[in-house]
Amino acid sequence: QLVESGGESVQAGGSMTLSCAASGYTADKYCMGWFRQIPGKEREGVAAVNYDGSATYADSVKGRFTISRDSAKNTVFLEMYGLEPGDTGMYYCAAHSGTLCSDWTRYRTWGQGTQVTVSS
């Protein structure tokens, strides 16, 4: 089970950190990713953290978002800076057990989502 938290409403230029707590399995043994559903658009992959801790980012968030793991807490984080109104949407945490963490189509286990709202 994946449970997201941390979504809130902020003004443009603000920051926030999303958390994804995994239960029932060890997150370190899975590819972990963050996705978002922006109104009127399809769900898109935002960031993924690989088994070695390296990360992959969508071009739209490179330099502004950082994904990380905390093995002790079995939790994955998404730090977001320089937020823009275009970042508004529902953010989901997801996992898969394959080898290519940057393959957004492989993710099968999903959380319920947390809402991020950025006002101008």
Side-chain angles (χ1 to χ4, degrees):
Q1 182 182 8
L2 299 172
V3 178
E4 303 95 333
S5 61
E8 59 179 313
S9 295
V10 296
Q11 290 191 328
S15 62
M16 72 177 72
T17 298
L18 306 182
S19 300
C20 171
S23 61
Y25 61 94
T26 302
D28 279 359
K29 297 183 179 180
Y30 289 78
C31 290
M32 300 296 296
W34 283 97
F35 291 72
R36 67 185 181 186
Q37 180 91 52
I38 294 174
K41 297 185 178 181
E42 293 186 356
R43 186 167 56 191
E44 62 174 346
V46 172
V49 60
N50 302 312
Y51 296 103
D52 63 358
S54 61
T56 300
Y57 297 96
D59 289 343
S60 58
V61 305
K62 280 181 181 177
R64 300 189 298 122
F65 291 12
T66 301
I67 188 172
S68 62
R69 297 177 185 263
D70 184 327
S71 299
K73 296 181 179 179
N74 209 26
T75 299
V76 177
F77 301 97
L78 184 67
E79 298 174 78
M80 305 185 292
Y81 301 93
L83 285 162
E84 305 165 351
D87 295 317
T88 295
M90 187 68 78
Y91 283 68
Y92 299 90
C93 178
H96 78 79
S97 59
T99 57
L100 191 58
C101 297
S102 59
D103 186 346
W104 308 119
T105 67
R106 296 280 186 171
Y107 288 83
R108 293 290 182 267
T109 302
W110 297 88
Q112 84 290 347
T114 185
Q115 177 68 37
V116 171
T117 303
V118 185
S119 59
S120 58

